[in-house]
Amino acid sequence: MAVADLLVVITGVVFSGIGEIYFPVSFLTITPVCRLILTLSLTATATSVWFTVAFTFDRFVAICCQKLKTKYCTEKTAAAVIGVVSALSCLLNIPWYFVFDPEYIMDNVPRGCVLKPTFFTSPEWAVFDLFSLVIMPCLPFILILLFNVLTARHIVVASGVRRGLRGRSSGENHKDPEMENRRKSIILLFSISGSFILLWSTFIFYFISLRVTNAKYDTASDIESAGFMLQLLSSCTNTCIYAVTQTKFREELKNGVKCPLNLIVTLVKS
């Protein structure tokens, strides 16, 4: 998830956003390069979104499905899921490379990217656009909500039963490590998936309204700009959430920062 989110920031923010604004006449604005950057950005975004779905489903299985947990929650399964999600995200976003035409010609060099006129009139492109909207992010939005509700319901019920049993056996309420772990799990789960839902809502509602009203994409729309901004922001939050909620993640992050510093100190002393 962290790698996918970083790729979104690199392709969608650095290359596409900052590069287009501050370097309008550069290698990045040549049409084939622009197409590639946009396609990579969409691919990275789709991968990040479906990794969030996979993470939510993984937590659902680990918490709610104890019999399936031993078979599904393994390193081998995780590697297979990561590989399949990454491969499918690449394949499903390849057609976006052929959607754009040059925006203008400068010194016989095509520059910029704009949607082809046939994108709005061709039935094939209309089906592809609708399919893309369903696959990302409408379906992930629904799946994350569903898995969150089921997981939260299971945790609440199981916690109530456990609290009642401990109360009967001990006669008083002691601090329960298992309850603390469940509380941390549900905080992490709802922090990642909840931030995804909130930050993607504007983007989803905007494009659904386009389909309902049969309107065309308006690149000057403030709502669209806000939706894209929040969408990109959603790819920057997971690392922060991990750093805040996970002790092991904070320790590994500190070790990663200390390692090059210790190496520099050792070299200076020698």
Side-chain angles (χ1 to χ4, degrees):
M1 287 177 64
V3 173
D5 293 339
L6 180 60
L7 289 176
V8 173
V9 174
I10 293 174
T11 57
V13 178
V14 178
F15 286 162
S16 182
I18 297 177
E20 181 180 351
I21 294 173
Y22 293 100
F23 305 98
V25 184
S26 67
F27 174 76
L28 297 176
T29 60
I30 298 175
T31 299
V33 179
C34 176
R35 287 175 177 171
L36 180 61
I37 291 174
L38 290 174
T39 303
L40 290 176
S41 177
L42 291 168
T43 301
T45 302
T47 305
S48 174
V49 168
W50 280 101
F51 278 171
T52 305
V53 176
F55 167 79
T56 307
F57 179 73
D58 181 83
R59 295 301 85 200
F60 166 74
V61 172
I63 295 173
C64 303
C65 308
Q66 295 301 315
K67 293 183 179 180
L68 183 60
K69 176 182 177 180
T70 55
K71 296 181 179 180
Y72 181 81
C73 298
T74 62
E75 292 185 4
K76 184 178 180 180
T77 302
V81 170
I82 291 172
V84 171
V85 170
S86 301
L88 288 177
S89 297
C90 292
L91 290 174
L92 293 176
N93 284 281
I94 287 176
W96 284 111
Y97 182 85
F98 305 98
V99 169
F100 300 98
D101 276 340
E103 187 175 4
Y104 58 93
I105 305 293
M106 178 180 290
D107 297 329
N108 295 324
V109 177
R111 292 186 177 273
C113 292
V114 293
L115 291 171
K116 294 181 177 180
T118 55
F119 181 78
F120 303 103
T121 58
S122 171
E124 291 80 9
W125 283 123
V127 171
F128 171 73
D129 190 31
L130 182 61
F131 174 76
S132 299
L133 183 62
V134 171
I135 292 298
M136 203 279 294
C138 290
L139 183 58
F141 195 92
I142 295 172
L143 291 176
I144 288 174
L145 277 176
L146 175 63
F147 291 139
N148 274 349
V149 170
L150 294 176
T151 304
R153 177 178 175 274
H154 179 85
I155 290 177
V156 170
V157 172
S159 298
V161 173
R162 183 178 178 86
R163 194 179 298 111
L165 292 175
R166 284 180 60 84
R168 290 178 184 177
S169 61
S170 62
E172 56 182 1
N173 291 326
H174 295 284
K175 187 175 181 180
D176 188 354
E178 180 64 23
M179 293 292 292
E180 288 295 318
N181 291 333
R182 291 181 181 180
R183 184 180 66 83
K184 291 180 179 179
S185 296
I186 198 170
I187 289 174
L188 176 61
L189 174 67
F190 275 91
S191 296
I192 292 179
S193 53
S195 66
F196 168 81
I197 291 172
L198 290 175
L199 294 174
W200 274 84
S201 296
T202 303
F203 179 88
I204 292 174
F205 292 146
Y206 172 73
F207 280 95
I208 289 178
S209 66
L210 285 182
R211 285 302 168 191
V212 172
T213 59
N214 198 27
K216 292 186 177 181
Y217 293 96
D218 181 10
T219 55
S221 171
D222 292 336
I223 298 178
E224 183 187 17
S225 299
F228 277 116
M229 180 190 69
L230 294 174
Q231 168 202 325
L232 293 172
L233 181 61
S234 69
S235 299
C236 306
T237 57
N238 288 346
T239 303
C240 297
I241 292 172
Y242 276 124
V244 171
T245 59
Q246 295 291 293
T247 303
K248 290 184 179 180
F249 185 89
R250 292 197 298 269
E251 292 176 355
E252 292 297 328
L253 186 62
K254 290 179 182 178
N255 292 334
V257 174
K258 290 180 180 179
C259 183
L261 294 178
N262 293 335
L263 180 62
I264 293 173
V265 172
T266 303
L267 293 174
V268 170
K269 289 183 178 180
S270 61

